[in-house]
Amino acid sequence: MAHRPVATALAAANASAPFAGAARTAAQKIMVSLTGPASAAAQEVATRIVALPSRADSGVRTAVEQTLTTNTVLRLSYVDVAGRESDRVVEPAGLLTADGRWYLIAWCRTRRAGRGFRLDRIAAAAPTGEQAQPHDLTELLLGSAAAGAMRPMAPASLTPPP
């Protein structure tokens, strides 16, 4: 029964959210594995969840996903809250979601500090292919408004005990 809420949540992933394609694929695999009433219930609930897409450009989202997956440097153009655009070179550390928005958390080489970049404010992004230095997501969040964020689940916790 635990698969039902997971499958429903994955199926409802916003198409503009980072790694949404992977979430939809995972949801399909879980749905296929469910049988009988569990399958019907999960599919019925999933049809009642609607997500409005954000303004995040799919090219930007793809570039962010690629650099996070390959641990490479990202060059981006960012528009701040006042509408000023700046070019940045960043080393992505992770993603944060808050209040329905997605943020790239990265070490900004331009500012020489950890920064959060709202995905819908990234006007353009391109992977450089250069290997990024590893940065601890928790350390980058310290001192920010997101310091109390829930920490990512360790991959080891996803595997069943021997």
Side-chain angles (χ1 to χ4, degrees):
M1 291 295 178
H3 292 88
R4 194 174 352 170
V6 173
T8 303
L10 289 171
N14 184 329
S16 60
F19 299 101
R24 282 190 303 278
T25 299
Q28 290 169 349
K29 288 179 180 181
I30 292 171
M31 291 288 199
V32 167
S33 73
L34 295 174
T35 58
S39 175
Q43 289 179 15
E44 196 275 327
V45 170
T47 63
R48 292 188 284 140
I49 298 172
V50 179
L52 293 174
S54 73
R55 296 182 332 193
D57 178 273
S58 66
V60 166
R61 190 180 69 250
T62 299
V64 168
E65 290 172 2
Q66 179 183 347
T67 57
L68 279 168
T69 304
T70 60
N71 193 37
T72 52
V73 175
L74 181 67
R75 181 177 308 278
L76 57 87
S77 292
Y78 189 72
V79 180
D80 69 15
V81 69
R84 294 180 299 260
E85 188 167 337
S86 62
D87 292 325
R88 308 288 185 98
V89 177
V90 302
E91 299 176 7
L95 293 166
L96 168 76
T97 184
D99 299 325
R101 293 187 173 100
W102 284 95
Y103 298 81
L104 170 65
I105 307 301
W107 176 260
C108 179
R109 289 182 176 177
T110 307
R111 299 288 186 249
R112 296 181 181 219
R115 292 288 191 264
F117 300 94
R118 241 175 70 178
L119 292 189
D120 63 340
R121 289 190 183 152
I122 298 175
T128 66
E130 176 189 350
Q131 197 66 34
Q133 294 296 314
H135 294 279
D136 183 78
L137 182 60
T138 301
E139 287 184 25
L140 291 180
L141 292 174
L142 286 176
S144 75
M150 290 177 48
R151 300 298 178 245
M153 191 171 23
S157 66
L158 297 175
T159 57

